[in-house]
Amino acid sequence: MTPGQDRKNRRGVPAVYATRRDLLKAGVGSSVALLLSSGRLGAQPRPLIERAIPSTGERVPVIGIGTARRWEAVTTPAEMAPLREVLRQFSGRGGKVIDTAPSYGTAESVAGELVADLGVRGSVFLATKVGAAGRQAGLEQVEASFRRLRTSRVDLIAVHNLRDIATQLQTLRELKQEGRIRYVGMTTSFPRQYPEFERTMRTETLDFIQVDYALDSRGAAATILPLAADRGMAVMINLPFGRGRLFQAVQGRALPPWASDFDCTSWAQFFLKYIVSHPAVTCCVPGTAKVEYLLDNLGAAQGRLPDAATRRRMEEFIERL
Ligand SMILES: NC(=O)c1ccc[n+]([C@@H]2O[C@H](COP(=O)([O-])OP(=O)(O)OC[C@H]3O[C@@H](n4cnc5c(N)ncnc54)[C@H](OP(=O)(O)O)[C@@H]3O)[C@@H](O)[C@H]2O)c1
């Protein structure tokens, strides 16, 4: 039985999580456990909004999972359990994009182990990175990623923070030719790297770029996002919450009533819907290590999205805080 085909009881709750205690044991937060066990969140998952990767037309849901930080120091079964449940629910609800990196401690191997264990390799989109100097070091790092991710084909490998970009891009293109990776890209989350990032976007053919973009940190929208659209590059957004900075900015505040006009029921969805409603954005990878956050974040890939005028209103709202 695949994760999407769990037996459901009459309330639509997977039979394996029939009680609140089961849910809590699996590392599900108490408020979500209550909702799931009451059937309110356990109903049939709704389809997720998808976007096409320009170089192939393949579609991916706009919300994925980032594995920096919370997946980086995971060694015990108790630490693995909530992540396993995150991935099981993610995949069961149609989620695909999982972003990791060899520099994220245990994240790559934990993701590889859980994806293999859950038997979901066929449905998820594994994105990792190479951050090494020199051809040999890059090749060795990539081979280690294949082993840790327990797969013979990685969906996307991106050059991490532009490190030794020319050398690593050449290696990645060879791997793509050999059919071992499907897409090639590069990443940054540092505005000081934007000029070099933009130059590289203009001169190289890339399937994906990954860049930071958040409601209160919109520098990428000036040139990088429009350039990606012009150059036919898919865009994966990192740091969508500014590592939690945005939640601090709105602490103690209620959502504005007009958030319901675009089916937004939480601050996380407010921040994520702002990002994925940018026309150049393909997907976004919020750091996710709790089921409660996963279900919340996937809500941003459902229902209506803000239009251009509402996006401006959201910007003004955050600027006034
Ligand atoms: N240069 C690069 O290539 C680069 C750089 C940075 C990041 N990335 C990628 O981008 C991903 C995202 O960045 P990030 O994880 O550092 O930062 P982020 O996504 O901006 O913030 C993640 C934090 O937000 C909190 N959160 C998540 N969902 C929430 C929800 N629904 N409600 C309340 N809080 C929520 C969690 O905090 P707590 O867990 O603390 O509660 C989580 O650790 C990374 O995981 C990584 O895959 C790539």
PDB file of all heavy atoms in Angstrom, residues 65-70 99-100 104 129 160-161 187-189 210 238-244 247 268 285-287 290 292-293 296-297, ligand 1:
ATOM      1  N   ILE A  65       9.485  20.983   0.487  1.00  0.00           N
ATOM      2  CA  ILE A  65      10.037  20.905   1.847  1.00  0.00           C
ATOM      3  C   ILE A  65      11.520  21.256   1.797  1.00  0.00           C
ATOM      4  O   ILE A  65      12.259  20.726   0.963  1.00  0.00           O
ATOM      5  CB  ILE A  65       9.891  19.465   2.395  1.00  0.00           C
ATOM      6  CG1 ILE A  65       8.444  19.184   2.786  1.00  0.00           C
ATOM      7  CG2 ILE A  65      10.796  19.230   3.585  1.00  0.00           C
ATOM      8  CD1 ILE A  65       8.251  17.794   3.347  1.00  0.00           C
ATOM      9  N   GLY A  66      11.961  22.099   2.721  1.00  0.00           N
ATOM     10  CA  GLY A  66      13.395  22.361   2.889  1.00  0.00           C
ATOM     11  C   GLY A  66      13.899  21.583   4.088  1.00  0.00           C
ATOM     12  O   GLY A  66      13.170  21.391   5.067  1.00  0.00           O
ATOM     13  N   THR A  67      15.141  21.132   4.006  1.00  0.00           N
ATOM     14  CA  THR A  67      15.664  20.250   5.070  1.00  0.00           C
ATOM     15  C   THR A  67      16.861  20.854   5.805  1.00  0.00           C
ATOM     16  O   THR A  67      17.573  20.131   6.501  1.00  0.00           O
ATOM     17  CB  THR A  67      16.066  18.876   4.489  1.00  0.00           C
ATOM     18  OG1 THR A  67      17.147  19.093   3.576  1.00  0.00           O
ATOM     19  CG2 THR A  67      14.909  18.181   3.801  1.00  0.00           C
ATOM     20  N   ALA A  68      17.095  22.151   5.632  1.00  0.00           N
ATOM     21  CA  ALA A  68      18.205  22.767   6.388  1.00  0.00           C
ATOM     22  C   ALA A  68      17.814  22.841   7.862  1.00  0.00           C
ATOM     23  O   ALA A  68      16.642  22.881   8.204  1.00  0.00           O
ATOM     24  CB  ALA A  68      18.495  24.168   5.847  1.00  0.00           C
ATOM     25  N   ARG A  69      18.807  22.850   8.702  1.00  0.00           N
ATOM     26  CA  ARG A  69      18.646  23.065  10.157  1.00  0.00           C
ATOM     27  C   ARG A  69      17.932  21.932  10.869  1.00  0.00           C
ATOM     28  O   ARG A  69      18.572  21.138  11.518  1.00  0.00           O
ATOM     29  CB  ARG A  69      17.992  24.416  10.438  1.00  0.00           C
ATOM     30  CG  ARG A  69      18.885  25.553   9.913  1.00  0.00           C
ATOM     31  CD  ARG A  69      18.398  26.943  10.192  1.00  0.00           C
ATOM     32  NE  ARG A  69      16.977  27.100  10.099  1.00  0.00           N
ATOM     33  CZ  ARG A  69      16.246  27.700  11.022  1.00  0.00           C
ATOM     34  NH1 ARG A  69      16.830  28.177  12.090  1.00  0.00           N
ATOM     35  NH2 ARG A  69      14.961  27.832  10.859  1.00  0.00           N
ATOM     36  N   ARG A  70      16.617  21.814  10.780  1.00  0.00           N
ATOM     37  CA  ARG A  70      15.885  20.842  11.612  1.00  0.00           C
ATOM     38  C   ARG A  70      16.145  19.400  11.224  1.00  0.00           C
ATOM     39  O   ARG A  70      15.804  18.485  11.955  1.00  0.00           O
ATOM     40  CB  ARG A  70      14.382  21.105  11.577  1.00  0.00           C
ATOM     41  CG  ARG A  70      13.989  22.451  12.093  1.00  0.00           C
ATOM     42  CD  ARG A  70      14.070  22.530  13.589  1.00  0.00           C
ATOM     43  NE  ARG A  70      13.818  23.877  14.056  1.00  0.00           N
ATOM     44  CZ  ARG A  70      14.314  24.377  15.164  1.00  0.00           C
ATOM     45  NH1 ARG A  70      15.116  23.669  15.919  1.00  0.00           N
ATOM     46  NH2 ARG A  70      14.030  25.611  15.518  1.00  0.00           N
ATOM     47  N   ASP A  99      14.099  19.609  -0.860  1.00  0.00           N
ATOM     48  CA  ASP A  99      15.386  20.262  -1.100  1.00  0.00           C
ATOM     49  C   ASP A  99      16.361  19.944   0.030  1.00  0.00           C
ATOM     50  O   ASP A  99      16.052  20.143   1.202  1.00  0.00           O
ATOM     51  CB  ASP A  99      15.200  21.784  -1.187  1.00  0.00           C
ATOM     52  CG  ASP A  99      16.518  22.481  -1.474  1.00  0.00           C
ATOM     53  OD1 ASP A  99      17.067  22.258  -2.568  1.00  0.00           O
ATOM     54  OD2 ASP A  99      17.027  23.214  -0.602  1.00  0.00           O
ATOM     55  N   THR A 100      17.538  19.458  -0.334  1.00  0.00           N
ATOM     56  CA  THR A 100      18.542  19.140   0.670  1.00  0.00           C
ATOM     57  C   THR A 100      19.914  19.538   0.142  1.00  0.00           C
ATOM     58  O   THR A 100      20.024  20.189  -0.904  1.00  0.00           O
ATOM     59  CB  THR A 100      18.431  17.635   1.062  1.00  0.00           C
ATOM     60  OG1 THR A 100      19.272  17.395   2.175  1.00  0.00           O
ATOM     61  CG2 THR A 100      18.775  16.701  -0.075  1.00  0.00           C
ATOM     62  N   TYR A 104      24.144  19.925   4.763  1.00  0.00           N
ATOM     63  CA  TYR A 104      23.133  20.013   5.827  1.00  0.00           C
ATOM     64  C   TYR A 104      23.237  18.831   6.794  1.00  0.00           C
ATOM     65  O   TYR A 104      22.234  18.150   7.080  1.00  0.00           O
ATOM     66  CB  TYR A 104      21.713  20.040   5.248  1.00  0.00           C
ATOM     67  CG  TYR A 104      21.358  21.221   4.372  1.00  0.00           C
ATOM     68  CD1 TYR A 104      20.186  21.207   3.615  1.00  0.00           C
ATOM     69  CD2 TYR A 104      22.169  22.350   4.280  1.00  0.00           C
ATOM     70  CE1 TYR A 104      19.837  22.278   2.806  1.00  0.00           C
ATOM     71  CE2 TYR A 104      21.823  23.411   3.460  1.00  0.00           C
ATOM     72  CZ  TYR A 104      20.664  23.366   2.735  1.00  0.00           C
ATOM     73  OH  TYR A 104      20.320  24.420   1.921  1.00  0.00           O
ATOM     74  N   LYS A 129      22.505  19.614  -3.819  1.00  0.00           N
ATOM     75  CA  LYS A 129      23.420  20.650  -4.291  1.00  0.00           C
ATOM     76  C   LYS A 129      24.841  20.111  -4.315  1.00  0.00           C
ATOM     77  O   LYS A 129      25.130  19.076  -3.697  1.00  0.00           O
ATOM     78  CB  LYS A 129      23.349  21.872  -3.354  1.00  0.00           C
ATOM     79  CG  LYS A 129      21.905  22.309  -3.084  1.00  0.00           C
ATOM     80  CD  LYS A 129      21.802  23.585  -2.316  1.00  0.00           C
ATOM     81  CE  LYS A 129      20.340  23.890  -2.026  1.00  0.00           C
ATOM     82  NZ  LYS A 129      19.807  23.194  -0.858  1.00  0.00           N
ATOM     83  N   HIS A 160      25.867  25.065  -5.223  1.00  0.00           N
ATOM     84  CA  HIS A 160      25.497  25.721  -3.970  1.00  0.00           C
ATOM     85  C   HIS A 160      26.224  27.044  -3.829  1.00  0.00           C
ATOM     86  O   HIS A 160      27.454  27.084  -3.809  1.00  0.00           O
ATOM     87  CB  HIS A 160      25.872  24.780  -2.813  1.00  0.00           C
ATOM     88  CG  HIS A 160      25.074  24.998  -1.568  1.00  0.00           C
ATOM     89  ND1 HIS A 160      25.043  24.081  -0.559  1.00  0.00           N
ATOM     90  CD2 HIS A 160      24.270  26.012  -1.158  1.00  0.00           C
ATOM     91  CE1 HIS A 160      24.252  24.515   0.412  1.00  0.00           C
ATOM     92  NE2 HIS A 160      23.786  25.685   0.068  1.00  0.00           N
ATOM     93  N   ASN A 161      25.463  28.117  -3.754  1.00  0.00           N
ATOM     94  CA  ASN A 161      26.036  29.446  -3.509  1.00  0.00           C
ATOM     95  C   ASN A 161      27.159  29.789  -4.493  1.00  0.00           C
ATOM     96  O   ASN A 161      28.162  30.398  -4.102  1.00  0.00           O
ATOM     97  CB  ASN A 161      26.558  29.544  -2.066  1.00  0.00           C
ATOM     98  CG  ASN A 161      25.425  29.425  -1.057  1.00  0.00           C
ATOM     99  OD1 ASN A 161      24.293  29.779  -1.344  1.00  0.00           O
ATOM    100  ND2 ASN A 161      25.729  28.905   0.128  1.00  0.00           N
ATOM    101  N   THR A 187      22.277  27.971  -6.831  1.00  0.00           N
ATOM    102  CA  THR A 187      21.544  28.597  -5.730  1.00  0.00           C
ATOM    103  C   THR A 187      22.333  29.762  -5.139  1.00  0.00           C
ATOM    104  O   THR A 187      23.552  29.827  -5.257  1.00  0.00           O
ATOM    105  CB  THR A 187      21.296  27.608  -4.558  1.00  0.00           C
ATOM    106  OG1 THR A 187      22.493  27.475  -3.782  1.00  0.00           O
ATOM    107  CG2 THR A 187      20.841  26.244  -5.023  1.00  0.00           C
ATOM    108  N   THR A 188      21.579  30.630  -4.500  1.00  0.00           N
ATOM    109  CA  THR A 188      22.180  31.592  -3.575  1.00  0.00           C
ATOM    110  C   THR A 188      21.118  31.985  -2.558  1.00  0.00           C
ATOM    111  O   THR A 188      19.925  31.790  -2.786  1.00  0.00           O
ATOM    112  CB  THR A 188      22.715  32.862  -4.257  1.00  0.00           C
ATOM    113  OG1 THR A 188      23.411  33.641  -3.268  1.00  0.00           O
ATOM    114  CG2 THR A 188      21.614  33.731  -4.849  1.00  0.00           C
ATOM    115  N   SER A 189      21.575  32.520  -1.424  1.00  0.00           N
ATOM    116  CA  SER A 189      20.647  33.171  -0.497  1.00  0.00           C
ATOM    117  C   SER A 189      21.316  34.428   0.048  1.00  0.00           C
ATOM    118  O   SER A 189      20.942  34.924   1.093  1.00  0.00           O
ATOM    119  CB  SER A 189      20.272  32.217   0.638  1.00  0.00           C
ATOM    120  OG  SER A 189      21.423  31.790   1.334  1.00  0.00           O
ATOM    121  N   GLN A 210      17.785  28.715  -7.674  1.00  0.00           N
ATOM    122  CA  GLN A 210      17.183  28.789  -6.341  1.00  0.00           C
ATOM    123  C   GLN A 210      17.693  30.060  -5.674  1.00  0.00           C
ATOM    124  O   GLN A 210      18.904  30.305  -5.648  1.00  0.00           O
ATOM    125  CB  GLN A 210      17.561  27.562  -5.494  1.00  0.00           C
ATOM    126  CG  GLN A 210      16.856  27.597  -4.143  1.00  0.00           C
ATOM    127  CD  GLN A 210      17.302  26.533  -3.153  1.00  0.00           C
ATOM    128  OE1 GLN A 210      17.651  26.848  -2.016  1.00  0.00           O
ATOM    129  NE2 GLN A 210      17.287  25.282  -3.569  1.00  0.00           N
ATOM    130  N   ASN A 238      14.098  29.809  -1.617  1.00  0.00           N
ATOM    131  CA  ASN A 238      14.529  29.396  -0.277  1.00  0.00           C
ATOM    132  C   ASN A 238      14.276  30.534   0.733  1.00  0.00           C
ATOM    133  O   ASN A 238      13.956  31.653   0.350  1.00  0.00           O
ATOM    134  CB  ASN A 238      15.999  28.929  -0.278  1.00  0.00           C
ATOM    135  CG  ASN A 238      17.006  30.009  -0.662  1.00  0.00           C
ATOM    136  OD1 ASN A 238      16.897  31.153  -0.248  1.00  0.00           O
ATOM    137  ND2 ASN A 238      18.017  29.624  -1.453  1.00  0.00           N
ATOM    138  N   LEU A 239      14.397  30.215   2.007  1.00  0.00           N
ATOM    139  CA  LEU A 239      14.190  31.181   3.098  1.00  0.00           C
ATOM    140  C   LEU A 239      12.871  31.955   2.987  1.00  0.00           C
ATOM    141  O   LEU A 239      12.862  33.183   3.167  1.00  0.00           O
ATOM    142  CB  LEU A 239      15.363  32.171   3.162  1.00  0.00           C
ATOM    143  CG  LEU A 239      16.749  31.591   3.444  1.00  0.00           C
ATOM    144  CD1 LEU A 239      17.789  32.703   3.510  1.00  0.00           C
ATOM    145  CD2 LEU A 239      16.756  30.817   4.751  1.00  0.00           C
ATOM    146  N   PRO A 240      11.752  31.272   2.702  1.00  0.00           N
ATOM    147  CA  PRO A 240      10.490  32.002   2.503  1.00  0.00           C
ATOM    148  C   PRO A 240       9.990  32.704   3.752  1.00  0.00           C
ATOM    149  O   PRO A 240       9.212  33.651   3.655  1.00  0.00           O
ATOM    150  CB  PRO A 240       9.510  30.899   2.088  1.00  0.00           C
ATOM    151  CG  PRO A 240      10.077  29.642   2.679  1.00  0.00           C
ATOM    152  CD  PRO A 240      11.571  29.809   2.568  1.00  0.00           C
ATOM    153  N   PHE A 241      10.431  32.251   4.935  1.00  0.00           N
ATOM    154  CA  PHE A 241      10.042  32.922   6.183  1.00  0.00           C
ATOM    155  C   PHE A 241      11.220  33.706   6.762  1.00  0.00           C
ATOM    156  O   PHE A 241      11.161  34.162   7.907  1.00  0.00           O
ATOM    157  CB  PHE A 241       9.592  31.891   7.238  1.00  0.00           C
ATOM    158  CG  PHE A 241       8.470  30.989   6.799  1.00  0.00           C
ATOM    159  CD1 PHE A 241       8.540  29.612   7.000  1.00  0.00           C
ATOM    160  CD2 PHE A 241       7.328  31.507   6.207  1.00  0.00           C
ATOM    161  CE1 PHE A 241       7.510  28.779   6.610  1.00  0.00           C
ATOM    162  CE2 PHE A 241       6.288  30.684   5.813  1.00  0.00           C
ATOM    163  CZ  PHE A 241       6.375  29.316   6.016  1.00  0.00           C
ATOM    164  N   GLY A 242      12.307  33.816   5.990  1.00  0.00           N
ATOM    165  CA  GLY A 242      13.500  34.453   6.545  1.00  0.00           C
ATOM    166  C   GLY A 242      13.938  33.746   7.814  1.00  0.00           C
ATOM    167  O   GLY A 242      14.309  34.403   8.786  1.00  0.00           O
ATOM    168  N   ARG A 243      13.893  32.406   7.786  1.00  0.00           N
ATOM    169  CA  ARG A 243      14.241  31.563   8.946  1.00  0.00           C
ATOM    170  C   ARG A 243      13.405  31.945  10.185  1.00  0.00           C
ATOM    171  O   ARG A 243      13.926  32.015  11.286  1.00  0.00           O
ATOM    172  CB  ARG A 243      15.716  31.679   9.318  1.00  0.00           C
ATOM    173  CG  ARG A 243      16.634  31.160   8.268  1.00  0.00           C
ATOM    174  CD  ARG A 243      17.994  30.750   8.833  1.00  0.00           C
ATOM    175  NE  ARG A 243      18.783  30.105   7.822  1.00  0.00           N
ATOM    176  CZ  ARG A 243      19.704  30.714   7.081  1.00  0.00           C
ATOM    177  NH1 ARG A 243      19.974  31.988   7.283  1.00  0.00           N
ATOM    178  NH2 ARG A 243      20.356  30.045   6.170  1.00  0.00           N
ATOM    179  N   GLY A 244      12.134  32.245   9.979  1.00  0.00           N
ATOM    180  CA  GLY A 244      11.281  32.539  11.131  1.00  0.00           C
ATOM    181  C   GLY A 244      11.159  34.023  11.447  1.00  0.00           C
ATOM    182  O   GLY A 244      10.325  34.434  12.248  1.00  0.00           O
ATOM    183  N   PHE A 247       7.649  35.449  11.164  1.00  0.00           N
ATOM    184  CA  PHE A 247       6.705  35.106  12.244  1.00  0.00           C
ATOM    185  C   PHE A 247       6.902  36.039  13.440  1.00  0.00           C
ATOM    186  O   PHE A 247       5.943  36.427  14.093  1.00  0.00           O
ATOM    187  CB  PHE A 247       6.872  33.645  12.673  1.00  0.00           C
ATOM    188  CG  PHE A 247       6.441  32.675  11.602  1.00  0.00           C
ATOM    189  CD1 PHE A 247       7.374  31.922  10.905  1.00  0.00           C
ATOM    190  CD2 PHE A 247       5.107  32.530  11.270  1.00  0.00           C
ATOM    191  CE1 PHE A 247       6.982  31.048   9.906  1.00  0.00           C
ATOM    192  CE2 PHE A 247       4.696  31.662  10.274  1.00  0.00           C
ATOM    193  CZ  PHE A 247       5.643  30.917   9.587  1.00  0.00           C
ATOM    194  N   ALA A 268       1.662  31.609   8.044  1.00  0.00           N
ATOM    195  CA  ALA A 268       2.547  30.860   7.124  1.00  0.00           C
ATOM    196  C   ALA A 268       1.974  30.906   5.712  1.00  0.00           C
ATOM    197  O   ALA A 268       2.695  31.142   4.727  1.00  0.00           O
ATOM    198  CB  ALA A 268       2.705  29.418   7.604  1.00  0.00           C
ATOM    199  N   VAL A 285      10.479  26.173  -0.893  1.00  0.00           N
ATOM    200  CA  VAL A 285      10.810  25.051   0.002  1.00  0.00           C
ATOM    201  C   VAL A 285      10.964  25.515   1.452  1.00  0.00           C
ATOM    202  O   VAL A 285      12.072  25.631   1.975  1.00  0.00           O
ATOM    203  CB  VAL A 285      12.077  24.285  -0.486  1.00  0.00           C
ATOM    204  CG1 VAL A 285      11.751  23.465  -1.720  1.00  0.00           C
ATOM    205  CG2 VAL A 285      13.248  25.230  -0.785  1.00  0.00           C
ATOM    206  N   PRO A 286       9.845  25.765   2.128  1.00  0.00           N
ATOM    207  CA  PRO A 286       9.936  26.152   3.540  1.00  0.00           C
ATOM    208  C   PRO A 286      10.532  25.041   4.385  1.00  0.00           C
ATOM    209  O   PRO A 286      10.203  23.867   4.197  1.00  0.00           O
ATOM    210  CB  PRO A 286       8.464  26.399   3.937  1.00  0.00           C
ATOM    211  CG  PRO A 286       7.635  25.670   2.924  1.00  0.00           C
ATOM    212  CD  PRO A 286       8.448  25.651   1.665  1.00  0.00           C
ATOM    213  N   GLY A 287      11.402  25.409   5.324  1.00  0.00           N
ATOM    214  CA  GLY A 287      11.992  24.414   6.233  1.00  0.00           C
ATOM    215  C   GLY A 287      10.869  23.764   7.037  1.00  0.00           C
ATOM    216  O   GLY A 287      10.148  24.458   7.737  1.00  0.00           O
ATOM    217  N   LYS A 290       7.866  19.449  11.083  1.00  0.00           N
ATOM    218  CA  LYS A 290       6.722  19.080  11.922  1.00  0.00           C
ATOM    219  C   LYS A 290       5.501  18.902  11.028  1.00  0.00           C
ATOM    220  O   LYS A 290       5.280  19.744  10.128  1.00  0.00           O
ATOM    221  CB  LYS A 290       6.387  20.200  12.912  1.00  0.00           C
ATOM    222  CG  LYS A 290       7.437  20.475  13.958  1.00  0.00           C
ATOM    223  CD  LYS A 290       6.952  21.616  14.851  1.00  0.00           C
ATOM    224  CE  LYS A 290       8.044  22.011  15.840  1.00  0.00           C
ATOM    225  NZ  LYS A 290       7.786  23.310  16.431  1.00  0.00           N
ATOM    226  N   GLU A 292       2.475  19.456  11.767  1.00  0.00           N
ATOM    227  CA  GLU A 292       1.628  20.636  11.945  1.00  0.00           C
ATOM    228  C   GLU A 292       2.014  21.736  10.937  1.00  0.00           C
ATOM    229  O   GLU A 292       1.154  22.350  10.299  1.00  0.00           O
ATOM    230  CB  GLU A 292       1.853  21.127  13.370  1.00  0.00           C
ATOM    231  CG  GLU A 292       0.961  22.235  13.798  1.00  0.00           C
ATOM    232  CD  GLU A 292       1.231  22.586  15.275  1.00  0.00           C
ATOM    233  OE1 GLU A 292       1.883  21.796  15.986  1.00  0.00           O
ATOM    234  OE2 GLU A 292       0.797  23.657  15.689  1.00  0.00           O
ATOM    235  N   TYR A 293       3.306  21.976  10.776  1.00  0.00           N
ATOM    236  CA  TYR A 293       3.770  22.977   9.817  1.00  0.00           C
ATOM    237  C   TYR A 293       3.511  22.513   8.381  1.00  0.00           C
ATOM    238  O   TYR A 293       3.157  23.302   7.521  1.00  0.00           O
ATOM    239  CB  TYR A 293       5.272  23.230   9.984  1.00  0.00           C
ATOM    240  CG  TYR A 293       5.657  23.988  11.234  1.00  0.00           C
ATOM    241  CD1 TYR A 293       6.998  24.077  11.596  1.00  0.00           C
ATOM    242  CD2 TYR A 293       4.718  24.622  12.030  1.00  0.00           C
ATOM    243  CE1 TYR A 293       7.381  24.785  12.729  1.00  0.00           C
ATOM    244  CE2 TYR A 293       5.093  25.323  13.168  1.00  0.00           C
ATOM    245  CZ  TYR A 293       6.429  25.398  13.513  1.00  0.00           C
ATOM    246  OH  TYR A 293       6.815  26.100  14.633  1.00  0.00           O
ATOM    247  N   ASP A 296      -0.073  23.044   7.415  1.00  0.00           N
ATOM    248  CA  ASP A 296      -0.281  24.484   7.288  1.00  0.00           C
ATOM    249  C   ASP A 296       0.318  24.976   5.959  1.00  0.00           C
ATOM    250  O   ASP A 296      -0.354  25.629   5.151  1.00  0.00           O
ATOM    251  CB  ASP A 296       0.402  25.150   8.495  1.00  0.00           C
ATOM    252  CG  ASP A 296       0.097  26.623   8.636  1.00  0.00           C
ATOM    253  OD1 ASP A 296      -0.743  27.145   7.878  1.00  0.00           O
ATOM    254  OD2 ASP A 296       0.713  27.261   9.517  1.00  0.00           O
ATOM    255  N   ASN A 297       1.573  24.602   5.722  1.00  0.00           N
ATOM    256  CA  ASN A 297       2.268  25.108   4.532  1.00  0.00           C
ATOM    257  C   ASN A 297       1.640  24.600   3.236  1.00  0.00           C
ATOM    258  O   ASN A 297       1.559  25.333   2.248  1.00  0.00           O
ATOM    259  CB  ASN A 297       3.761  24.750   4.591  1.00  0.00           C
ATOM    260  CG  ASN A 297       4.453  25.411   5.778  1.00  0.00           C
ATOM    261  OD1 ASN A 297       3.913  26.326   6.388  1.00  0.00           O
ATOM    262  ND2 ASN A 297       5.639  24.931   6.117  1.00  0.00           N
TER     263      ASN A 297
HETATM  264  N1  LIG B   1      21.800  28.902  -0.586  1.00  0.00           N
HETATM  265  C1  LIG B   1      20.976  27.900  -0.497  1.00  0.00           C
HETATM  266  O1  LIG B   1      20.996  27.038  -1.330  1.00  0.00           O
HETATM  267  C2  LIG B   1      19.979  27.847   0.622  1.00  0.00           C
HETATM  268  C3  LIG B   1      20.100  28.711   1.695  1.00  0.00           C
HETATM  269  C4  LIG B   1      19.153  28.672   2.700  1.00  0.00           C
HETATM  270  C5  LIG B   1      18.110  27.751   2.632  1.00  0.00           C
HETATM  271  N2  LIG B   1      18.016  26.871   1.585  1.00  0.00           N
HETATM  272  C6  LIG B   1      16.883  25.922   1.489  1.00  0.00           C
HETATM  273  O2  LIG B   1      15.691  26.632   1.784  1.00  0.00           O
HETATM  274  C7  LIG B   1      14.990  25.971   2.831  1.00  0.00           C
HETATM  275  C8  LIG B   1      14.228  26.963   3.669  1.00  0.00           C
HETATM  276  O3  LIG B   1      15.084  27.757   4.450  1.00  0.00           O
HETATM  277  P1  LIG B   1      15.115  27.645   6.062  1.00  0.00           P
HETATM  278  O4  LIG B   1      14.570  26.313   6.422  1.00  0.00           O
HETATM  279  O5  LIG B   1      16.478  27.976   6.519  1.00  0.00           O
HETATM  280  O6  LIG B   1      14.197  28.862   6.489  1.00  0.00           O
HETATM  281  P2  LIG B   1      12.628  29.202   6.323  1.00  0.00           P
HETATM  282  O7  LIG B   1      11.967  28.205   5.447  1.00  0.00           O
HETATM  283  O8  LIG B   1      12.538  30.641   5.967  1.00  0.00           O
HETATM  284  O9  LIG B   1      12.127  29.042   7.819  1.00  0.00           O
HETATM  285  C9  LIG B   1      12.020  27.753   8.359  1.00  0.00           C
HETATM  286  C10 LIG B   1      11.472  27.839   9.785  1.00  0.00           C
HETATM  287  O10 LIG B   1      10.164  28.400   9.802  1.00  0.00           O
HETATM  288  C11 LIG B   1       9.396  27.739  10.778  1.00  0.00           C
HETATM  289  N3  LIG B   1       8.149  27.239  10.159  1.00  0.00           N
HETATM  290  C12 LIG B   1       8.007  26.453   9.065  1.00  0.00           C
HETATM  291  N4  LIG B   1       6.707  26.263   8.781  1.00  0.00           N
HETATM  292  C13 LIG B   1       6.013  26.956   9.734  1.00  0.00           C
HETATM  293  C14 LIG B   1       4.632  27.139   9.984  1.00  0.00           C
HETATM  294  N5  LIG B   1       3.693  26.606   9.187  1.00  0.00           N
HETATM  295  N6  LIG B   1       4.278  27.898  11.063  1.00  0.00           N
HETATM  296  C15 LIG B   1       5.204  28.448  11.876  1.00  0.00           C
HETATM  297  N7  LIG B   1       6.539  28.304  11.673  1.00  0.00           N
HETATM  298  C16 LIG B   1       6.931  27.563  10.610  1.00  0.00           C
HETATM  299  C17 LIG B   1      10.209  26.591  11.337  1.00  0.00           C
HETATM  300  O11 LIG B   1      10.776  27.013  12.562  1.00  0.00           O
HETATM  301  P3  LIG B   1      11.053  26.028  13.776  1.00  0.00           P
HETATM  302  O12 LIG B   1      11.361  24.697  13.172  1.00  0.00           O
HETATM  303  O13 LIG B   1      12.195  26.692  14.447  1.00  0.00           O
HETATM  304  O14 LIG B   1       9.805  26.040  14.599  1.00  0.00           O
HETATM  305  C18 LIG B   1      11.304  26.419  10.330  1.00  0.00           C
HETATM  306  O15 LIG B   1      12.519  25.965  10.859  1.00  0.00           O
HETATM  307  C19 LIG B   1      16.073  25.243   3.598  1.00  0.00           C
HETATM  308  O16 LIG B   1      15.514  24.228   4.410  1.00  0.00           O
HETATM  309  C20 LIG B   1      16.950  24.761   2.479  1.00  0.00           C
HETATM  310  O17 LIG B   1      16.391  23.607   1.898  1.00  0.00           O
HETATM  311  C21 LIG B   1      18.938  26.922   0.580  1.00  0.00           C
END
